[in-house]
Amino acid sequence: MKIICIGRNYAGHIKELNNMKESKPLIFLKPETAVQPKNHPFFIPDFSDNIQYESEILLKICKLGKNIEEKFAYKYYNEIGLGIDFTARDLQNNLKTKGKPWEIAKGFDGSAKISNEFINKNELILDDIDFSLKLNNEIVQNGNSSDMIFSFDEIISYVSKFFTLKIGDIIFTGTPAGVGRIKKNDILEGFLNKKKILEVKIK
Ligand code: MG
């Protein structure tokens, strides 16, 4: 199983981090060991003073595929979930300014929180999925799939040029504006169309 992440897919988030808009989806990977075990808390690692949450819509791949045409991309995912792309922003900024790869800032152990629950895509209007993240009971991020720069199908098609997609792979589709730092004892809750499908405690 692999985790493929898309960066800079919402204009609001690009602006808040002073990044440039991409002409193609920006891709990075997290290793399988980044997946946080189900119902485990997130432990703030000692190598960072600025771990940030990024809530994102997830696609679960249901079919093996390579060089997938955009018009057939919908056949390759059947379930939609919610995730948090935990980011060591201090490490990432440091590496980014030096033009170095930022894997350690994005792919460390526990950096991929995946909702326990996924929703069948047939129950959703794919270009109108609302999602939000609460931090200690206050909404800090609110997004809608209609605001994505690259659609689910464009992402699947583009990613599959480079990486064969396998059943069970997860795609993180990017975060909207509102990312922020976490601290010990915080509680994050994720909602997809107002339904809570994710919770993580910070330790
Ligand atoms: Mg992200």
Side-chain angles (χ1 to χ4, degrees), residues 129-148:
I129 299 171
D130 211 62
F131 65 107
S132 57
L133 185 75
K134 278 186 181 175
L135 169 66
N136 303 329
N137 223 16
E138 260 182 60
I139 292 183
V140 286
Q141 284 194 289
N142 196 236
N144 189 288
S145 57
S146 64
D147 294 327
M148 294 192 309

mmCIF file with all atom_site columns, all heavy atoms in Angstrom, residues 129-148:
data_model
loop_
_atom_site.group_PDB
_atom_site.id
_atom_site.type_symbol
_atom_site.label_atom_id
_atom_site.label_alt_id
_atom_site.label_comp_id
_atom_site.label_asym_id
_atom_site.label_entity_id
_atom_site.label_seq_id
_atom_site.pdbx_PDB_ins_code
_atom_site.Cartn_x
_atom_site.Cartn_y
_atom_site.Cartn_z
_atom_site.occupancy
_atom_site.B_iso_or_equiv
_atom_site.pdbx_formal_charge
_atom_site.auth_seq_id
_atom_site.auth_comp_id
_atom_site.auth_asym_id
_atom_site.auth_atom_id
_atom_site.pdbx_PDB_model_num
ATOM 1   N N   . ILE A 1 129 ? -18.375 17.949 -2.391 1.00 0.00 ? 129 ILE A N   1
ATOM 2   C CA  . ILE A 1 129 ? -18.193 17.303 -1.086 1.00 0.00 ? 129 ILE A CA  1
ATOM 3   C C   . ILE A 1 129 ? -17.667 18.360 -0.122 1.00 0.00 ? 129 ILE A C   1
ATOM 4   O O   . ILE A 1 129 ? -16.647 18.989 -0.352 1.00 0.00 ? 129 ILE A O   1
ATOM 5   C CB  . ILE A 1 129 ? -17.179 16.146 -1.168 1.00 0.00 ? 129 ILE A CB  1
ATOM 6   C CG1 . ILE A 1 129 ? -17.658 15.067 -2.138 1.00 0.00 ? 129 ILE A CG1 1
ATOM 7   C CG2 . ILE A 1 129 ? -16.947 15.544 0.224  1.00 0.00 ? 129 ILE A CG2 1
ATOM 8   C CD1 . ILE A 1 129 ? -16.608 14.007 -2.434 1.00 0.00 ? 129 ILE A CD1 1
ATOM 9   N N   . ASP A 1 130 ? -18.412 18.530 0.944  1.00 0.00 ? 130 ASP A N   1
ATOM 10  C CA  . ASP A 1 130 ? -18.040 19.509 1.942  1.00 0.00 ? 130 ASP A CA  1
ATOM 11  C C   . ASP A 1 130 ? -17.243 18.803 3.039  1.00 0.00 ? 130 ASP A C   1
ATOM 12  O O   . ASP A 1 130 ? -17.583 17.689 3.420  1.00 0.00 ? 130 ASP A O   1
ATOM 13  C CB  . ASP A 1 130 ? -19.343 20.071 2.537  1.00 0.00 ? 130 ASP A CB  1
ATOM 14  C CG  . ASP A 1 130 ? -19.167 21.491 2.959  1.00 0.00 ? 130 ASP A CG  1
ATOM 15  O OD1 . ASP A 1 130 ? -18.888 22.321 2.079  1.00 0.00 ? 130 ASP A OD1 1
ATOM 16  O OD2 . ASP A 1 130 ? -19.289 21.766 4.168  1.00 0.00 ? 130 ASP A OD2 1
ATOM 17  N N   . PHE A 1 131 ? -16.213 19.444 3.518  1.00 0.00 ? 131 PHE A N   1
ATOM 18  C CA  . PHE A 1 131 ? -15.501 18.838 4.647  1.00 0.00 ? 131 PHE A CA  1
ATOM 19  C C   . PHE A 1 131 ? -14.961 19.924 5.566  1.00 0.00 ? 131 PHE A C   1
ATOM 20  O O   . PHE A 1 131 ? -14.748 21.062 5.154  1.00 0.00 ? 131 PHE A O   1
ATOM 21  C CB  . PHE A 1 131 ? -14.391 17.886 4.178  1.00 0.00 ? 131 PHE A CB  1
ATOM 22  C CG  . PHE A 1 131 ? -13.250 18.523 3.427  1.00 0.00 ? 131 PHE A CG  1
ATOM 23  C CD1 . PHE A 1 131 ? -12.005 18.663 4.026  1.00 0.00 ? 131 PHE A CD1 1
ATOM 24  C CD2 . PHE A 1 131 ? -13.414 18.968 2.126  1.00 0.00 ? 131 PHE A CD2 1
ATOM 25  C CE1 . PHE A 1 131 ? -10.936 19.233 3.334  1.00 0.00 ? 131 PHE A CE1 1
ATOM 26  C CE2 . PHE A 1 131 ? -12.356 19.551 1.433  1.00 0.00 ? 131 PHE A CE2 1
ATOM 27  C CZ  . PHE A 1 131 ? -11.118 19.678 2.043  1.00 0.00 ? 131 PHE A CZ  1
ATOM 28  N N   . SER A 1 132 ? -14.798 19.535 6.820  1.00 0.00 ? 132 SER A N   1
ATOM 29  C CA  . SER A 1 132 ? -14.291 20.519 7.773  1.00 0.00 ? 132 SER A CA  1
ATOM 30  C C   . SER A 1 132 ? -13.496 19.836 8.871  1.00 0.00 ? 132 SER A C   1
ATOM 31  O O   . SER A 1 132 ? -13.628 18.623 9.101  1.00 0.00 ? 132 SER A O   1
ATOM 32  C CB  . SER A 1 132 ? -15.439 21.339 8.370  1.00 0.00 ? 132 SER A CB  1
ATOM 33  O OG  . SER A 1 132 ? -16.376 20.500 8.983  1.00 0.00 ? 132 SER A OG  1
ATOM 34  N N   . LEU A 1 133 ? -12.683 20.623 9.525  1.00 0.00 ? 133 LEU A N   1
ATOM 35  C CA  . LEU A 1 133 ? -11.872 20.121 10.627 1.00 0.00 ? 133 LEU A CA  1
ATOM 36  C C   . LEU A 1 133 ? -12.094 21.019 11.840 1.00 0.00 ? 133 LEU A C   1
ATOM 37  O O   . LEU A 1 133 ? -12.046 22.247 11.737 1.00 0.00 ? 133 LEU A O   1
ATOM 38  C CB  . LEU A 1 133 ? -10.385 20.142 10.245 1.00 0.00 ? 133 LEU A CB  1
ATOM 39  C CG  . LEU A 1 133 ? -9.451  19.524 11.290 1.00 0.00 ? 133 LEU A CG  1
ATOM 40  C CD1 . LEU A 1 133 ? -9.548  17.991 11.265 1.00 0.00 ? 133 LEU A CD1 1
ATOM 41  C CD2 . LEU A 1 133 ? -8.008  19.951 11.079 1.00 0.00 ? 133 LEU A CD2 1
ATOM 42  N N   . LYS A 1 134 ? -12.360 20.363 12.971 1.00 0.00 ? 134 LYS A N   1
ATOM 43  C CA  . LYS A 1 134 ? -12.490 21.105 14.228 1.00 0.00 ? 134 LYS A CA  1
ATOM 44  C C   . LYS A 1 134 ? -11.258 20.856 15.079 1.00 0.00 ? 134 LYS A C   1
ATOM 45  O O   . LYS A 1 134 ? -10.799 19.711 15.197 1.00 0.00 ? 134 LYS A O   1
ATOM 46  C CB  . LYS A 1 134 ? -13.718 20.621 15.012 1.00 0.00 ? 134 LYS A CB  1
ATOM 47  C CG  . LYS A 1 134 ? -15.032 21.222 14.567 1.00 0.00 ? 134 LYS A CG  1
ATOM 48  C CD  . LYS A 1 134 ? -16.147 20.777 15.513 1.00 0.00 ? 134 LYS A CD  1
ATOM 49  C CE  . LYS A 1 134 ? -17.483 21.333 15.080 1.00 0.00 ? 134 LYS A CE  1
ATOM 50  N NZ  . LYS A 1 134 ? -18.577 20.785 15.932 1.00 0.00 ? 134 LYS A NZ  1
ATOM 51  N N   . LEU A 1 135 ? -10.756 21.937 15.669 1.00 0.00 ? 135 LEU A N   1
ATOM 52  C CA  . LEU A 1 135 ? -9.666  21.837 16.629 1.00 0.00 ? 135 LEU A CA  1
ATOM 53  C C   . LEU A 1 135 ? -10.242 22.277 17.969 1.00 0.00 ? 135 LEU A C   1
ATOM 54  O O   . LEU A 1 135 ? -10.709 23.419 18.098 1.00 0.00 ? 135 LEU A O   1
ATOM 55  C CB  . LEU A 1 135 ? -8.505  22.752 16.199 1.00 0.00 ? 135 LEU A CB  1
ATOM 56  C CG  . LEU A 1 135 ? -7.385  22.982 17.212 1.00 0.00 ? 135 LEU A CG  1
ATOM 57  C CD1 . LEU A 1 135 ? -6.603  21.711 17.497 1.00 0.00 ? 135 LEU A CD1 1
ATOM 58  C CD2 . LEU A 1 135 ? -6.434  24.077 16.725 1.00 0.00 ? 135 LEU A CD2 1
ATOM 59  N N   . ASN A 1 136 ? -10.255 21.362 18.915 1.00 0.00 ? 136 ASN A N   1
ATOM 60  C CA  . ASN A 1 136 ? -10.838 21.640 20.236 1.00 0.00 ? 136 ASN A CA  1
ATOM 61  C C   . ASN A 1 136 ? -12.225 22.275 20.098 1.00 0.00 ? 136 ASN A C   1
ATOM 62  O O   . ASN A 1 136 ? -12.533 23.285 20.714 1.00 0.00 ? 136 ASN A O   1
ATOM 63  C CB  . ASN A 1 136 ? -9.908  22.533 21.062 1.00 0.00 ? 136 ASN A CB  1
ATOM 64  C CG  . ASN A 1 136 ? -8.542  21.893 21.214 1.00 0.00 ? 136 ASN A CG  1
ATOM 65  O OD1 . ASN A 1 136 ? -8.423  20.663 21.245 1.00 0.00 ? 136 ASN A OD1 1
ATOM 66  N ND2 . ASN A 1 136 ? -7.501  22.704 21.270 1.00 0.00 ? 136 ASN A ND2 1
ATOM 67  N N   . ASN A 1 137 ? -13.020 21.659 19.239 1.00 0.00 ? 137 ASN A N   1
ATOM 68  C CA  . ASN A 1 137 ? -14.428 22.030 19.064 1.00 0.00 ? 137 ASN A CA  1
ATOM 69  C C   . ASN A 1 137 ? -14.678 23.323 18.282 1.00 0.00 ? 137 ASN A C   1
ATOM 70  O O   . ASN A 1 137 ? -15.806 23.804 18.228 1.00 0.00 ? 137 ASN A O   1
ATOM 71  C CB  . ASN A 1 137 ? -15.135 22.085 20.422 1.00 0.00 ? 137 ASN A CB  1
ATOM 72  C CG  . ASN A 1 137 ? -16.498 21.434 20.348 1.00 0.00 ? 137 ASN A CG  1
ATOM 73  O OD1 . ASN A 1 137 ? -16.798 20.694 19.403 1.00 0.00 ? 137 ASN A OD1 1
ATOM 74  N ND2 . ASN A 1 137 ? -17.348 21.738 21.304 1.00 0.00 ? 137 ASN A ND2 1
ATOM 75  N N   . GLU A 1 138 ? -13.649 23.883 17.690 1.00 0.00 ? 138 GLU A N   1
ATOM 76  C CA  . GLU A 1 138 ? -13.836 25.064 16.845 1.00 0.00 ? 138 GLU A CA  1
ATOM 77  C C   . GLU A 1 138 ? -13.402 24.764 15.424 1.00 0.00 ? 138 GLU A C   1
ATOM 78  O O   . GLU A 1 138 ? -12.324 24.202 15.221 1.00 0.00 ? 138 GLU A O   1
ATOM 79  C CB  . GLU A 1 138 ? -12.981 26.226 17.373 1.00 0.00 ? 138 GLU A CB  1
ATOM 80  C CG  . GLU A 1 138 ? -13.767 27.211 18.196 1.00 0.00 ? 138 GLU A CG  1
ATOM 81  C CD  . GLU A 1 138 ? -12.907 28.364 18.649 1.00 0.00 ? 138 GLU A CD  1
ATOM 82  O OE1 . GLU A 1 138 ? -12.361 29.070 17.787 1.00 0.00 ? 138 GLU A OE1 1
ATOM 83  O OE2 . GLU A 1 138 ? -12.774 28.535 19.882 1.00 0.00 ? 138 GLU A OE2 1
ATOM 84  N N   . ILE A 1 139 ? -14.227 25.165 14.461 1.00 0.00 ? 139 ILE A N   1
ATOM 85  C CA  . ILE A 1 139 ? -13.873 24.885 13.066 1.00 0.00 ? 139 ILE A CA  1
ATOM 86  C C   . ILE A 1 139 ? -12.655 25.707 12.645 1.00 0.00 ? 139 ILE A C   1
ATOM 87  O O   . ILE A 1 139 ? -12.650 26.932 12.778 1.00 0.00 ? 139 ILE A O   1
ATOM 88  C CB  . ILE A 1 139 ? -15.070 25.162 12.129 1.00 0.00 ? 139 ILE A CB  1
ATOM 89  C CG1 . ILE A 1 139 ? -16.172 24.133 12.412 1.00 0.00 ? 139 ILE A CG1 1
ATOM 90  C CG2 . ILE A 1 139 ? -14.641 25.093 10.656 1.00 0.00 ? 139 ILE A CG2 1
ATOM 91  C CD1 . ILE A 1 139 ? -17.383 24.222 11.523 1.00 0.00 ? 139 ILE A CD1 1
ATOM 92  N N   . VAL A 1 140 ? -11.633 25.004 12.162 1.00 0.00 ? 140 VAL A N   1
ATOM 93  C CA  . VAL A 1 140 ? -10.417 25.698 11.712 1.00 0.00 ? 140 VAL A CA  1
ATOM 94  C C   . VAL A 1 140 ? -10.207 25.560 10.199 1.00 0.00 ? 140 VAL A C   1
ATOM 95  O O   . VAL A 1 140 ? -9.516  26.361 9.587  1.00 0.00 ? 140 VAL A O   1
ATOM 96  C CB  . VAL A 1 140 ? -9.162  25.194 12.462 1.00 0.00 ? 140 VAL A CB  1
ATOM 97  C CG1 . VAL A 1 140 ? -9.134  25.731 13.884 1.00 0.00 ? 140 VAL A CG1 1
ATOM 98  C CG2 . VAL A 1 140 ? -9.065  23.673 12.457 1.00 0.00 ? 140 VAL A CG2 1
ATOM 99  N N   . GLN A 1 141 ? -10.788 24.535 9.610  1.00 0.00 ? 141 GLN A N   1
ATOM 100 C CA  . GLN A 1 141 ? -10.689 24.367 8.159  1.00 0.00 ? 141 GLN A CA  1
ATOM 101 C C   . GLN A 1 141 ? -12.046 23.952 7.617  1.00 0.00 ? 141 GLN A C   1
ATOM 102 O O   . GLN A 1 141 ? -12.743 23.139 8.219  1.00 0.00 ? 141 GLN A O   1
ATOM 103 C CB  . GLN A 1 141 ? -9.672  23.273 7.802  1.00 0.00 ? 141 GLN A CB  1
ATOM 104 C CG  . GLN A 1 141 ? -8.232  23.696 7.940  1.00 0.00 ? 141 GLN A CG  1
ATOM 105 C CD  . GLN A 1 141 ? -7.296  22.715 7.255  1.00 0.00 ? 141 GLN A CD  1
ATOM 106 O OE1 . GLN A 1 141 ? -7.120  21.600 7.732  1.00 0.00 ? 141 GLN A OE1 1
ATOM 107 N NE2 . GLN A 1 141 ? -6.710  23.119 6.128  1.00 0.00 ? 141 GLN A NE2 1
ATOM 108 N N   . ASN A 1 142 ? -12.362 24.527 6.461  1.00 0.00 ? 142 ASN A N   1
ATOM 109 C CA  . ASN A 1 142 ? -13.610 24.197 5.809  1.00 0.00 ? 142 ASN A CA  1
ATOM 110 C C   . ASN A 1 142 ? -13.334 24.199 4.310  1.00 0.00 ? 142 ASN A C   1
ATOM 111 O O   . ASN A 1 142 ? -12.828 25.177 3.773  1.00 0.00 ? 142 ASN A O   1
ATOM 112 C CB  . ASN A 1 142 ? -14.651 25.250 6.181  1.00 0.00 ? 142 ASN A CB  1
ATOM 113 C CG  . ASN A 1 142 ? -16.046 24.771 5.870  1.00 0.00 ? 142 ASN A CG  1
ATOM 114 O OD1 . ASN A 1 142 ? -16.774 25.423 5.141  1.00 0.00 ? 142 ASN A OD1 1
ATOM 115 N ND2 . ASN A 1 142 ? -16.419 23.613 6.384  1.00 0.00 ? 142 ASN A ND2 1
ATOM 116 N N   . GLY A 1 143 ? -13.630 23.082 3.657  1.00 0.00 ? 143 GLY A N   1
ATOM 117 C CA  . GLY A 1 143 ? -13.335 23.004 2.227  1.00 0.00 ? 143 GLY A CA  1
ATOM 118 C C   . GLY A 1 143 ? -14.466 22.356 1.469  1.00 0.00 ? 143 GLY A C   1
ATOM 119 O O   . GLY A 1 143 ? -15.388 21.778 2.054  1.00 0.00 ? 143 GLY A O   1
ATOM 120 N N   . ASN A 1 144 ? -14.380 22.468 0.154  1.00 0.00 ? 144 ASN A N   1
ATOM 121 C CA  . ASN A 1 144 ? -15.346 21.795 -0.703 1.00 0.00 ? 144 ASN A CA  1
ATOM 122 C C   . ASN A 1 144 ? -14.597 21.306 -1.938 1.00 0.00 ? 144 ASN A C   1
ATOM 123 O O   . ASN A 1 144 ? -13.752 22.037 -2.471 1.00 0.00 ? 144 ASN A O   1
ATOM 124 C CB  . ASN A 1 144 ? -16.478 22.753 -1.101 1.00 0.00 ? 144 ASN A CB  1
ATOM 125 C CG  . ASN A 1 144 ? -17.603 22.018 -1.813 1.00 0.00 ? 144 ASN A CG  1
ATOM 126 O OD1 . ASN A 1 144 ? -17.464 21.601 -2.960 1.00 0.00 ? 144 ASN A OD1 1
ATOM 127 N ND2 . ASN A 1 144 ? -18.712 21.839 -1.133 1.00 0.00 ? 144 ASN A ND2 1
ATOM 128 N N   . SER A 1 145 ? -14.925 20.101 -2.362 1.00 0.00 ? 145 SER A N   1
ATOM 129 C CA  . SER A 1 145 ? -14.197 19.528 -3.508 1.00 0.00 ? 145 SER A CA  1
ATOM 130 C C   . SER A 1 145 ? -14.332 20.387 -4.765 1.00 0.00 ? 145 SER A C   1
ATOM 131 O O   . SER A 1 145 ? -13.498 20.313 -5.662 1.00 0.00 ? 145 SER A O   1
ATOM 132 C CB  . SER A 1 145 ? -14.670 18.097 -3.779 1.00 0.00 ? 145 SER A CB  1
ATOM 133 O OG  . SER A 1 145 ? -16.062 18.074 -3.992 1.00 0.00 ? 145 SER A OG  1
ATOM 134 N N   . SER A 1 146 ? -15.369 21.243 -4.820 1.00 0.00 ? 146 SER A N   1
ATOM 135 C CA  . SER A 1 146 ? -15.531 22.112 -5.993 1.00 0.00 ? 146 SER A CA  1
ATOM 136 C C   . SER A 1 146 ? -14.418 23.163 -6.073 1.00 0.00 ? 146 SER A C   1
ATOM 137 O O   . SER A 1 146 ? -14.198 23.756 -7.125 1.00 0.00 ? 146 SER A O   1
ATOM 138 C CB  . SER A 1 146 ? -16.894 22.813 -5.950 1.00 0.00 ? 146 SER A CB  1
ATOM 139 O OG  . SER A 1 146 ? -16.950 23.658 -4.821 1.00 0.00 ? 146 SER A OG  1
ATOM 140 N N   . ASP A 1 147 ? -13.718 23.385 -4.960 1.00 0.00 ? 147 ASP A N   1
ATOM 141 C CA  . ASP A 1 147 ? -12.653 24.395 -4.937 1.00 0.00 ? 147 ASP A CA  1
ATOM 142 C C   . ASP A 1 147 ? -11.277 23.826 -5.289 1.00 0.00 ? 147 ASP A C   1
ATOM 143 O O   . ASP A 1 147 ? -10.285 24.559 -5.273 1.00 0.00 ? 147 ASP A O   1
ATOM 144 C CB  . ASP A 1 147 ? -12.569 25.046 -3.546 1.00 0.00 ? 147 ASP A CB  1
ATOM 145 C CG  . ASP A 1 147 ? -13.812 25.853 -3.229 1.00 0.00 ? 147 ASP A CG  1
ATOM 146 O OD1 . ASP A 1 147 ? -14.388 26.429 -4.174 1.00 0.00 ? 147 ASP A OD1 1
ATOM 147 O OD2 . ASP A 1 147 ? -14.210 25.891 -2.059 1.00 0.00 ? 147 ASP A OD2 1
ATOM 148 N N   . MET A 1 148 ? -11.228 22.532 -5.595 1.00 0.00 ? 148 MET A N   1
ATOM 149 C CA  . MET A 1 148 ? -9.939  21.938 -5.931 1.00 0.00 ? 148 MET A CA  1
ATOM 150 C C   . MET A 1 148 ? -9.469  22.458 -7.298 1.00 0.00 ? 148 MET A C   1
ATOM 151 O O   . MET A 1 148 ? -10.269 22.604 -8.220 1.00 0.00 ? 148 MET A O   1
ATOM 152 C CB  . MET A 1 148 ? -10.032 20.403 -5.995 1.00 0.00 ? 148 MET A CB  1
ATOM 153 C CG  . MET A 1 148 ? -10.325 19.763 -4.654 1.00 0.00 ? 148 MET A CG  1
ATOM 154 S SD  . MET A 1 148 ? -10.084 17.971 -4.682 1.00 0.00 ? 148 MET A SD  1
ATOM 155 C CE  . MET A 1 148 ? -11.038 17.534 -6.087 1.00 0.00 ? 148 MET A CE  1
#
